[in-house]
Amino acid sequence: MNVHGAAIVRRSGLSKTVRNHKYQRVCGLATESVDSTVRLVDPVSLPTNGDLPLHDRTGRGLLNNHSEKNFFLDVLGATSGKREAKAYLSRFKLPKLSSKNGPSSEKIKIRVIEKDHISGVNLGDLFLPARAVDESPVFSQNTVPRTFADISSEPLHVALVSVNSPQSIDDQTLQGIGLTLSQLAKLGLNSIVVVDLQNEQAQKFSSEQPFSWRVKVIEQADRIVSAIECQGGRGARRLDSLIGISPTKDELTPTIKVRGDVRVLYRNLLLTPLRRGVIPVVVPVGYTSPDQKVVPVSANDVMLALTRELAGIVQRPASGNGLLQSIWTAQRGVSLDRIIILDELGGIPLTSSMRESHIFINLEQEYEGICDELLRIKDSQKTKTQDKVEHPASTLPTSRTSNPLSGIKEGEILPTSMGASKDQPSTIDLLIDSHLKSLQIVRDALALLPASSSALLTTPQEAANSSGHSSFSKMPGVGTRPFRNPLIHNLLTDKPIFSSSLPRTRLLPSTNSNYSPSTPATFIKRGMPLTFLPDPRIEAWKPPTPLSLPLQLSDPRIDLACLVHLIEDSFGRVLDVQRYMARISQNLAGIIIAGSYEGAAILTWEAPPNLDSSVIPGTPAYAARMVPYLDKFAVLKRSQGAGGVADIVFNAMVRDCFPEGVVWRSRRDNPVNKWYFERAKGMWKISIEEQGTQGWTMFWTTEDVDGERFDDYASVCRSVDTSWADGKKLLD
């Protein structure tokens, strides 16, 4: 396409004169400006890689085939808001366009000016090309030089995908996964696939028949390559000579695995197809050093080796500045944004309900607790006898089951696997071990990556979901989309499909719901630590008594300056610090601090204004009337809508600090009220007859609030002082 003048573009058999092309990439969609007329164009024509032309080489028009219709529906179905779309566009910037038409006339002018300066003679336009000649059409039998995308300034965004047990995945589901990976590439996220045959196949063939094992794993890799290539695009390539094995010295065992026996031999062999839009499919076979013997390698070790390579952690570092330069160069060129594990078991099971998966896991806070809970279930099964089994061992999770423990109830016992002896591990042992290994590999990989990177665990069936798998109604113009693709939704929003702070009852299907009751996907981030003052896991928060010493904001464990900055940044107002500290000095219940004061919640015990004077403080009757109140809920503006800070703090408040319920208020026109409403058990609009204001909206998470309890909640929300320096009472 000639970018200097008019160009003849042939699409779907039609010829059009196109001038002044401007492309804008928004969530995989694009608009083409043609003489002030805007229309949608095919996303295939977007320059997603350095060697892709601006025009559609296949000649297909907009929405000319069913797969692209499904792609648009999947993107639109992600329901990302303005904030999420802005964050996506800031991460996946459109590369600058460059042309291979040779030096432009502007560069020629610069060289002529430099020559004039040297010779001292003004040559004018003598050596410049004539305008008429420069702008005249050129007829040539050779290919017209194309316009390419300059990817030198934009890092290559990569997702590391582990496909577990592909031998148990049918061809249709595998093709759906290939379609999803192709769609992710259109949205700017290139994938590297690692084949994992899981323990049973790997142990069988690696120990008894190494050659047969290699044939098996290559066969499954070829199936994945074929599933990707049949979706069009740039296709896929199998890599079976990428991994090397060189034992490391037993020096230290660091928590962060920056070194390992398994490493990537040839970096360019991995990145060259990626930059061309080709998806590498890595086979977990390694070559020992120095004898170059082919041996099986754990897929988890391959995942860690690829993570280290893409993160710029060199195996044999150079000395001095060479080390820093090599790491900086590697990190600048590649950004590993996602770790994706596709496993029939789905996400990490939520052990409290035993029928659902974790929606979001903050590793810094929850990793140890989740592992302990899974091990506790595993140990409890070992103490049970086989005659207490209540359900048959053949009850295994289906493709739509949220997690493999969905058939377990509290106190229920799982049998050992069918045909297994007493010395063999039971079914529950194998399931829990698999979940623990997935959690471990995600933790080790994210520890090597920036805090913005994340992981997603889901089933192959969910990853294969798209509008192409939707069941369209026979009625004209009516269709249903039963499921959203968690991979596409997560890429566009950097969030799970459902918010982790939503009550579980809100995820149950309604009569007209288009989604499953719970998602088998678990979204994981390295996250941030949570600080509880005092720690409710050690001692529950209780109303103050005359003899107790309540927590103070002047406590040395609290950085008061950072806390005040957080509140003022979140609310956009100046806090009257002394007035506020005086108000809560005797009734502060506790504080939750997320990370380095990225978010916080200040909770108090409030006495109802209508409390009878006969109720003596410190008595059970007085404690029963005290209202648990959320006084301040703040998140830094730069962290709002990203990283799940609000969900992390809210979950800690309602699950750990005040599990019996808490109440708070918000001004009626607060845009956050929708978020509050989705997480509250109830709400009530409180009218205040003061200066014509409309009052507050009260929210609570307590069950069965009525009568005296409701009156206490409403009276507290009416009477609490805002403590802002501007003196405005309503703008809380």
Side-chain angles (χ1 to χ4, degrees):
M1 181 181 294
N2 188 351
V3 298
H4 297 293
I8 303 299
V9 180
R10 299 186 180 274
R11 294 175 61 87
S12 304
L14 299 178
S15 299
K16 299 180 181 179
T17 301
V18 181
R19 294 186 298 272
N20 301 327
H21 288 72
K22 294 182 180 179
Y23 289 86
Q24 294 179 340
R25 182 177 179 183
V26 181
C27 296
L29 303 177
T31 59
E32 179 182 6
S33 177
V34 183
D35 295 336
S36 302
T37 302
V38 179
R39 64 185 180 87
L40 288 176
V41 300
D42 194 345
V44 177
S45 63
L46 291 175
T48 57
N49 293 283
D51 57 346
L52 292 183
L54 279 177
H55 61 84
D56 186 3
R57 300 182 300 110
T58 61
R60 292 176 298 177
L62 174 68
L63 300 181
N64 195 28
N65 56 70
H66 188 59
S67 63
E68 292 186 7
K69 292 181 182 179
N70 300 331
F71 173 60
F72 281 124
L73 290 175
D74 283 329
V75 171
L76 296 175
T79 63
S80 58
K82 181 179 179 181
R83 180 183 293 166
E84 288 80 7
K86 183 178 180 180
Y88 164 76
L89 292 175
S90 66
R91 293 195 308 270
F92 298 88
K93 297 178 181 178
L94 181 66
K96 296 181 180 180
L97 301 182
S98 62
S99 176
K100 292 189 177 182
N101 291 330
S104 63
S105 59
E106 293 182 358
K107 296 181 180 179
I108 297 176
K109 289 181 181 179
I110 293 175
R111 289 203 296 266
V112 171
I113 293 174
E114 292 175 351
K115 185 181 296 185
D116 292 345
H117 178 72
I118 296 174
S119 63
V121 179
N122 183 8
L123 301 177
D125 294 340
L126 180 61
F127 291 103
L128 291 180
R131 180 177 301 177
V133 175
D134 183 56
E135 295 182 356
S136 62
V138 177
F139 298 91
S140 175
Q141 294 180 351
N142 298 327
T143 304
V144 178
R146 299 171 180 172
T147 301
F148 290 83
D150 181 13
I151 62 172
S152 59
S153 60
E154 177 67 14
L156 185 67
H157 296 276
V158 179
L160 198 53
V161 184
S162 175
V163 181
N164 296 351
S165 301
Q167 67 274 12
S168 63
I169 303 176
D170 60 85
D171 292 339
Q172 182 179 1
T173 302
L174 209 57
Q175 291 182 7
I177 295 175
L179 174 61
T180 298
L181 297 181
S182 300
Q183 292 175 344
L184 291 178
K186 290 182 180 180
L187 293 172
L189 186 65
N190 303 273
S191 301
I192 301 175
V193 179
V194 177
V195 182
D196 187 359
L197 293 187
Q198 291 289 7
N199 294 333
E200 53 179 348
Q201 291 290 338
Q203 291 176 358
K204 177 180 178 181
F205 290 104
S206 62
S207 60
E208 300 177 2
Q209 300 173 346
F211 180 77
S212 299
W213 177 85
R214 185 184 180 188
V215 172
K216 281 285 185 180
V217 71
I218 290 179
E219 177 186 350
Q220 297 304 321
D222 289 339
R223 288 184 64 219
I224 297 176
V225 169
S226 300
I228 297 173
E229 288 185 338
C230 71
Q231 307 302 329
R234 293 286 176 167
R237 176 185 298 175
R238 170 167 56 84
L239 300 180
D240 53 6
S241 58
L242 181 69
I243 302 301
I245 302 175
S246 55
T248 57
K249 296 181 180 180
D250 296 330
E251 299 173 354
L252 297 174
T253 306
T255 303
I256 301 177
K257 298 183 178 180
V258 295
R259 301 182 63 188
D261 297 344
V262 181
R263 61 188 179 91
V264 175
L265 292 176
Y266 311 106
R267 180 181 178 88
N268 289 335
L269 183 63
L270 179 68
L271 296 184
T272 300
L274 270 180
R275 290 198 171 96
R276 294 178 177 175
V278 179
I279 298 177
V281 179
V282 181
V283 178
V285 295
Y287 294 83
T288 60
S289 177
D291 55 359
Q292 295 298 302
K293 180 181 178 181
V294 180
V295 296
V297 182
S298 169
N300 288 349
D301 291 338
V302 174
M303 294 278 288
L304 279 181
L306 291 170
T307 301
R308 285 190 290 264
E309 184 67 32
L310 297 175
I313 302 176
V314 291
Q315 194 73 1
R316 291 187 176 89
S319 59
N321 295 331
L323 170 62
L324 299 178
Q325 181 68 23
S326 61
I327 294 178
W328 181 80
T329 303
Q331 291 179 342
R332 183 186 63 171
V334 180
S335 175
L336 182 52
D337 298 330
R338 294 290 188 279
I339 304 293
I340 300 174
I341 298 180
L342 305 182
D343 195 305
E344 288 287 348
L345 302 181
I348 304 300
L350 187 65
T351 54
S352 60
S353 66
M354 309 302 293
R355 293 181 177 273
E356 301 170 353
S357 298
H358 283 274
I359 295 177
F360 172 73
I361 294 179
N362 175 20
L363 287 177
E364 287 283 353
Q365 175 202 2
E366 303 177 79
Y367 176 78
E368 297 294 340
I370 293 175
C371 290
D372 291 342
E373 285 296 319
L374 291 175
L375 291 174
R376 181 186 61 82
I377 296 176
K378 181 179 177 180
D379 293 338
S380 65
Q381 295 301 317
K382 294 181 180 179
T383 62
K384 309 298 181 180
T385 56
Q386 187 68 25
D387 57 345
K388 294 182 179 179
V389 174
E390 299 179 6
H391 296 281
S394 58
T395 304
L396 295 177
T398 62
S399 60
R400 294 296 178 201
T401 306
S402 60
N403 65 72
L405 304 179
S406 61
I408 311 176
K409 300 178 181 178
E410 288 294 340
E412 216 173 47
I413 308 163
L414 279 186
T416 57
S417 57
M418 296 182 63
S421 64
K422 294 182 179 180
D423 296 333
Q424 292 178 339
S426 63
T427 302
I428 188 63
D429 290 343
L430 295 176
L431 296 179
I432 291 180
D433 287 343
S434 180
H435 283 302
L436 290 173
K437 289 180 180 179
S438 297
L439 201 57
Q440 180 69 43
I441 185 62
V442 166
R443 184 201 187 196
D444 293 341
L446 292 182
L448 302 170
L449 301 173
S452 58
S453 299
S454 58
L456 187 68
L457 279 66
T458 188
T459 63
Q461 290 75 21
E462 290 296 318
N465 273 332
S466 69
S467 298
H469 294 75
S470 300
S471 57
F472 289 89
S473 173
K474 295 181 179 180
M475 297 178 61
V478 178
T480 59
R481 299 183 61 244
F483 300 98
R484 282 179 287 184
N485 190 300
L487 275 64
I488 294 178
H489 181 276
N490 179 253
L491 172 62
L492 296 177
T493 65
D494 197 27
K495 295 178 181 179
I497 290 182
F498 301 108
S499 173
S500 60
S501 60
L502 282 174
R504 290 285 168 171
T505 54
R506 298 288 172 88
L507 303 181
L508 295 177
S510 58
T511 55
N512 58 350
S513 175
N514 288 333
Y515 305 113
S516 58
S518 60
T519 172
T522 297
F523 181 54
I524 304 177
K525 300 201 76 169
R526 193 171 67 194
M528 60 194 67
L530 276 183
T531 302
F532 296 90
L533 296 174
D535 194 339
R537 295 165 295 186
I538 299 176
E539 184 178 1
W541 290 4
K542 298 179 181 179
T545 64
L547 300 179
S548 62
L549 296 176
L551 179 69
Q552 301 292 327
L553 291 183
S554 57
D555 190 289
R557 296 171 294 178
I558 301 175
D559 191 330
L560 184 59
C562 290
L563 183 62
V564 172
H565 169 73
L566 167 62
I567 295 174
E568 293 180 348
D569 179 78
S570 178
F571 286 89
R573 304 180 67 190
V574 179
L575 182 69
D576 189 338
V577 180
Q578 297 302 324
R579 179 180 167 190
Y580 182 66
M581 292 177 65
R583 190 190 76 78
I584 65 174
S585 61
Q586 299 301 319
N587 61 333
L588 181 59
I591 300 178
I592 306 170
I593 302 172
S596 299
Y597 290 85
E598 297 179 59
I602 302 177
L603 300 110
T604 60
W605 292 103
E606 301 290 341
N610 57 353
L611 185 63
D612 194 286
S613 58
S614 61
V615 181
I616 303 174
T619 61
Y622 182 85
R625 293 290 299 276
M626 294 293 284
V627 174
Y629 180 71
L630 173 59
D631 191 88
K632 291 289 185 290
F633 187 84
V635 177
L636 287 176
K637 288 184 178 179
R638 61 179 173 85
S639 300
Q640 292 176 3
V645 179
D647 288 330
I648 292 173
V649 176
F650 191 88
N651 280 336
M653 176 183 68
V654 299
R655 295 177 185 177
D656 299 325
C657 301
F658 283 143
E660 299 298 327
V662 63
V663 64
W664 68 96
R665 71 182 184 183
S666 174
R667 67 179 188 271
R668 287 194 182 180
D669 59 345
N670 191 340
V672 188
N673 284 349
K674 179 180 182 296
W675 192 87
Y676 288 150
F677 178 79
E678 292 173 343
R679 287 150 181 81
K681 297 287 185 179
M683 54 85 65
W684 185 262
K685 293 183 178 180
I686 302 175
S687 299
I688 300 179
E689 301 297 334
E690 182 179 348
Q691 300 178 356
T693 59
Q694 295 181 351
W696 307 96
T697 299
M698 179 177 69
F699 300 92
W700 63 88
T701 62
T702 314
E703 297 283 354
D704 302 327
V705 175
D706 55 8
E708 185 180 60
R709 196 60 171 169
F710 179 85
D711 294 338
D712 290 345
Y713 280 7
S715 61
V716 166
C717 290
R718 287 191 181 98
S719 62
V720 170
D721 183 21
T722 58
S723 302
W724 296 113
D726 54 18
K728 297 180 181 180
K729 296 183 178 180
L730 184 61
L731 296 177
D732 197 10

